[in-house]
Structures are given as C-alpha cells and as structure tokens.
C-alpha cells in the first residue's frame, strides 16, 4: 500500500509514524515537503519529494485574506506535485496532511477514493489569539477570524481528523469536535527518561554545547540550576515574566545559575519594543546589572543529548505558556523526571499530574518570584509522564485509526 505524508516542515509530527509504516516492509512511504534541507534528516524507508509555490500572496490582496490566499497557493502547489507523483506511477491510498495551512485543501478533488487524514493543531479563538498579538483590537479580531477559513475547509473535506490534546480539540467549533480524534504525537521514552546513572538528587558537573557554534559551557556541581528551554524567547511562552522574576532569585540564592536554552527569536509572538524586536536583548537592557553575567547563561540551541542532560541536572525547570498549543518540551521534561514549575493554564492543567508539579502564575510578577523561590528552596516531587502521552500509546492509536479507515473504505 502507498502512504503519502505532507508537511511543510518535514518530518515534524510524523517523525515516528512515517518510519513505523515504512519499516513494516509492506508499504511504500513518500513524504512531500517544502523544506529545502530535508535530506539532512532522512529516515530509512521514507522517500522525500518536494512541492514548490509558484508565487506568494499578492500585496494587493485584502490583508484579512492574505493567509487564505497563501493556503490556496500551497494547496495548488501540493496538487501539482501530487500530479507529478501520479504520472510517475505513485498512487497513494492513504494521505496524511498537516492541516490548517492549505496543504490538504484539494486532495479529495484529485484523489476522491484515497483516505485523507488531517492532523489539526489549532483553531483561532479571540480569547486565545489575543496572546499572540501586541494589539488585539476589532480589526485584528476580524482578520484572525478569517484565518480559520482554510482550517474549516480542510476539516470539512478530509475523511478523518486528528488533534493532539483534548484541550486543543475544545478550541474547534462544537459541530466539528465529534470528527476530531485525540492522538498525541508521542514522547519516545527510550530517549526521554529519568537519569539512571546516579541518584536523582545528586548534583554533578555538566557540560553543554551550542549545537550551531559549538561553544562549550561548563557548569560546576556546586551550582543550583534554574532552567528554561524554548523555541523562541517571547511573551507567548512567558519569557518576559521569567526574566523579570530572576533578580530577586539571584539575590536570594548565591549558588543559583539560570540556564536558558533556545534561540533569540519569536516563533509566535510579536516583537519587543526595542533591539530590533529581540525580547532577550530588550530584557537584558531593562534589567541591566540586576542580572550579573556570571549568574545567567544563554546556551543557544542544544543537541537533544545536552537538552536531556540539562533536564536531568536542573534543580527546577520552568515551562510557562499562554493558552496555546502545548509544547513538546513540557512532555519531554516530564518524561525525564524533571522538577517542574508550570503556570496554571488550560493548555497545561490536564497534561500534568497535579501533585508532581509546582504550579505558578504569570499574572502576578511578585507571586511568580515567590513561587519559584519556594520551589528552589524546597524541591517538590519529580514529574511523571502520563501513559497517554507515551510514543507507544500514540502509535498504537494511529494504527487502530488507520486500520479502521481501511476496513470501512
């Protein structure tokens, strides 16, 4: 049987599912993507093909509809690439698309007999979207409402729909929720697991490396670590609140080292008001000498091995977020048995076992500082990843879903 996966950012959420199917030896698996360097992350048994956009949305298109036009252009590009695959003799029976960006808009028009599975992450609601924008006025609300047009169309046209968490499912219109099946992406606990080499509470020296520059960072065994890991340093993930909480903590704990792993970028949120939009540089300038250089370490992006070592070694790891798609990093930290500080949010409250997390708030700066300080002073329980988020559980659910679809087709 022929399987086709389609995602802008290969392999992303299909990193484990695509090779699971390919490794059976019974199926041909093709992955269609727009990522130019996809071969750097090649997967045995998975063939990489590309689609190309012939143009970008017009600057003259009404700004409410530019994302919709972009989705249409992506859908057309996918269709052209898929038509080329058909001409080459590849006829997919099951097509799995990353939905919401237009990639699956026209799949059923070209291949009405194929089973089309859409993987949906998000539906934009005013009460959550306001955290993504610096200014959320009526104009922004009207524009973001139309951002849902391609999402609804893809949800209408696909045969099956998957969403990673129960809370994300509730963001979609009630009429569509019965079609959405909750299957989390899955955390590989053969890699993300508690440290077994020494006592879980034994501090030891740690060496980290910036995966891009190769810069090396040495952390002494005597240092207490407060860690934060992020794709982007931005308001959506509570970065400004985290930084502003640090000066009193550094003053309170003379052995404290704050380790921040991640890129100086905005993945979702708006720009900072200075320093070319960099929240890192803006906050360093704002806080000045209150944040001594020898107590604050920015590592940049880490390898997965070093990232896991940081989670193992950290005395307290922070995961902060506004209500939005819940990051893999929260699940990874839980699987590693990190001591976690997590803010109260609809995106997190059904994810973690309540007694295995220090719950904090983003709405009160002084309270956040106090809660983090108390957690560093009196370490709580180590986190536990619930079975529903384990990779084996996720792959089993995917297998059941695909088998049901084949039996009913």
């Amino acid at each position: 049987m022929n399987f086709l996966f389609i995602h802008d950012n290969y392999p992303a959420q299909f990193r484990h599912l695509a090779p699971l199917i390919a490794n059976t030896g019974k199926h041909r698996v093709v992955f269609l993507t727009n990522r130019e360097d996809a071969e750097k992350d090649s997967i045995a048994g998975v063939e990489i093909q590309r689609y190309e956009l012939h143009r970008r949305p017009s600057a003259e298109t009404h700004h409410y509809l530019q994302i919709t036009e972009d989705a249409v252009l992506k859908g057309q590009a996918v269709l052209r690439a898929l038509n080329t695959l058909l001409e080459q003799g590849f006829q997919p029976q099951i097509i799995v698309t990353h939905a919401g960006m237009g990639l699956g808009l026209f799949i059923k028009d070209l291949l009405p007999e194929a089973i089309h599975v859409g993987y949906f992450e998000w539906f934009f609601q005013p009460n959550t979207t306001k955290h993504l924008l610096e200014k959320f006025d009526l104009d922004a609300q009207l524009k973001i409402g139309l951002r849902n047009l391609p999402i609804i169309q893809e949800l209408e046209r696909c045969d099956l729909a998957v969403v990673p968490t129960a809370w994300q499912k509730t963001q979609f219109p009630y009429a569509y929720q019965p079609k959405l099946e909750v299957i989390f992406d899955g955390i590989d606990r053969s890699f993300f697991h508690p440290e077994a080499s020494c006592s879980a509470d034994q501090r030891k020296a740690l060496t980290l490396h910036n995966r891009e520059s190769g810069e090396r960072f040495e952390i002494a065994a005597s240092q207490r670590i407060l860690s934060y890991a992020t794709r982007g340093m931005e308001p959506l993930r509570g970065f400004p609140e985290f930084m502003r909480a640090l000066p009193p903590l550094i003053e309170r704990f003379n052995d404290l080292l704050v380790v921040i792993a991640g890129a100086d970028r905005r993945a979702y949120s708006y720009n900072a008001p200075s320093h070319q939009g960099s929240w890192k540089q803006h906050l360093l300038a704002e806080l000045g000498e209150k944040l001594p250089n020898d107590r604050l370490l920015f590592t940049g992006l880490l390898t997965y091995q070093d990232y896991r070592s940081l989670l193992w070694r950290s005395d307290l790891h922070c995961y902060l977020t506004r209500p939005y798609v819940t990051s893999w990093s929260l699940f990874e930290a839980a699987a590693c048995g990190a001591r976690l500080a997590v803010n109260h949010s609809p995106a997190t409250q059904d994810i973690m076992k309540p007694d295995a997390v220090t719950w904090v708030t983003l709405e009160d700066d002084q309270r956040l500082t106090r809660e983090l300080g108390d957690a560093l002073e009196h370490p709580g329980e180590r986190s536990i990843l619930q079975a529903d988020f384990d990779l084996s559980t996720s792959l089993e659910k995917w297998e059941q879903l695909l088998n049901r679809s084949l039996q009913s087709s």
Side-chain angles (χ1 to χ4, degrees):
M1 183 171 291
N2 292 334
F3 284 78
L4 176 65
F5 290 87
I6 308 176
H7 201 305
D8 266 346
N9 188 27
Y10 161 97
Q13 288 92 347
F14 307 142
R15 173 180 294 277
H16 301 293
L17 181 61
L20 173 74
I21 296 169
N23 290 341
T24 65
K26 301 177 182 178
H27 311 293
R28 183 180 176 189
V29 178
V30 173
F31 205 120
L32 188 61
T33 183
N34 194 36
R35 178 180 162 186
E36 294 182 358
D37 64 343
E39 283 79 9
K40 291 182 179 179
D41 203 6
S42 62
I43 298 172
V46 176
E47 305 170 39
I48 299 172
Q49 298 288 338
R50 284 185 183 77
Y51 68 87
E52 300 290 343
L53 275 69
H54 73 283
R55 70 173 178 86
R56 292 293 178 182
S58 170
E60 298 189 5
T61 300
H62 194 290
H63 68 103
Y64 287 6
L65 295 173
Q66 286 180 345
I67 290 179
T68 300
E69 184 181 8
D70 185 62
V72 170
L73 292 169
K74 286 182 177 179
Q76 289 179 325
V78 165
L79 219 57
R80 287 193 296 272
L82 183 50
N83 195 56
T84 299
L85 288 172
L86 292 173
E87 292 174 350
Q88 295 171 352
F90 179 75
Q91 180 93 20
Q93 284 85 36
I94 296 182
I95 302 173
V96 185
T97 64
H98 182 237
M101 306 300 291
L103 304 180
L105 280 176
F106 309 123
I107 295 293
K108 297 296 283 189
D109 295 281
L110 184 62
L111 293 171
E113 300 302 318
I115 297 169
H116 178 199
V117 185
Y119 173 92
F120 293 81
E121 289 192 83
W122 196 243
F123 193 89
F124 291 87
Q125 301 282 5
N127 63 332
T128 52
T129 302
K130 65 183 181 182
H131 299 297
L132 302 176
L133 305 174
E134 182 177 15
K135 181 181 180 183
F136 190 69
D137 54 14
L138 181 60
D139 188 56
Q141 182 169 332
L142 297 177
K143 180 177 180 178
I144 206 68
L146 293 182
R147 169 68 180 84
N148 290 319
L149 287 177
I151 300 174
I152 291 174
Q153 180 69 359
E154 288 193 73
L155 191 47
E156 281 274 5
R157 297 303 306 276
C158 69
D159 298 295
L160 300 166
V162 171
V163 64
T165 69
W167 180 71
Q168 285 166 249
K169 177 177 177 177
T170 66
Q171 301 307 294
F172 288 80
Y174 182 77
Y176 291 103
Q177 290 181 25
K179 187 173 184 177
L180 289 157
E181 181 150 349
V182 177
I183 305 178
F184 183 61
D185 309 321
I187 299 300
D188 184 0
R189 289 207 283 190
S190 68
F191 183 85
F192 291 105
H193 57 78
E195 186 177 22
S197 60
C198 65
S199 167
D201 295 312
Q202 178 183 345
R203 288 182 186 165
K204 61 181 182 180
L206 176 65
T207 302
L208 301 174
H209 306 81
N210 182 302
R211 79 179 189 208
E212 295 176 328
S213 69
E215 186 178 0
R216 181 186 178 105
F217 308 99
E218 300 287 350
I219 299 174
S222 60
Q223 290 186 292
R224 188 192 314 246
I225 294 178
L226 173 64
S227 59
Y228 177 101
T230 178
R231 286 182 61 203
M233 301 174 190
E234 55 193 330
L236 182 71
R237 300 307 188 193
F239 182 71
E241 290 85 354
F242 176 76
M243 289 288 286
R244 290 170 180 142
L246 296 181
L249 295 175
I250 287 174
E251 184 176 353
R252 177 175 173 180
F253 301 98
N254 58 19
D255 61 347
L256 183 65
L257 177 68
V258 180
V259 180
I260 298 174
D264 181 10
R265 62 187 283 262
R266 277 79 61 212
Y268 306 105
S269 296
Y270 50 91
N271 286 343
S274 67
H275 295 81
Q276 292 76 53
S278 165
W279 282 101
K280 172 186 173 181
Q281 298 302 329
H282 173 75
L283 289 159
L284 286 175
E286 174 189 316
L287 298 170
E289 295 180 358
K290 295 178 182 178
L291 290 179
N293 290 336
D294 61 343
R295 307 289 296 282
L296 185 62
L297 177 61
F298 288 94
T299 68
L301 296 171
L302 299 174
T303 64
Y304 269 118
Q305 289 78 9
D306 278 6
Y307 166 55
R308 181 181 62 180
S309 295
L310 175 61
L311 293 173
W312 282 345
R313 172 64 175 79
S314 178
D315 293 273
L316 183 67
H317 181 73
C318 289
Y319 177 79
L320 307 174
T321 188
R322 304 297 181 185
Y324 195 60
V325 174
T326 312
S327 308
W328 283 345
S329 65
L330 174 61
F331 302 93
E332 292 162 350
C336 286
R339 285 199 172 94
L340 276 167
V342 180
N343 69 293
H344 289 282
S345 163
T348 59
Q349 284 179 250
D350 292 330
I351 301 297
M352 307 303 301
K353 293 186 176 181
D355 57 351
V357 172
T358 295
W359 294 101
V360 299
T361 181
L362 287 182
E363 286 68 39
D364 183 326
D365 290 349
Q366 292 183 347
R367 182 176 171 184
L368 175 61
T369 298
R370 184 170 64 253
E371 289 166 337
L372 293 177
D374 291 346
L376 285 166
E377 186 78 56
H378 306 288
E381 296 295 321
R382 292 191 170 270
S383 57
I384 301 171
L385 182 70
Q386 298 189 60
D388 284 350
F389 306 121
D390 183 79
L391 178 60
S392 61
T393 302
S394 301
L395 293 178
E396 182 179 345
K397 288 181 178 180
W398 268 107
E399 188 173 11
Q400 292 170 353
L401 177 70
L402 295 176
N403 285 335
R404 287 200 309 270
S405 67
L406 289 170
Q407 291 167 6
S408 61
S409 63

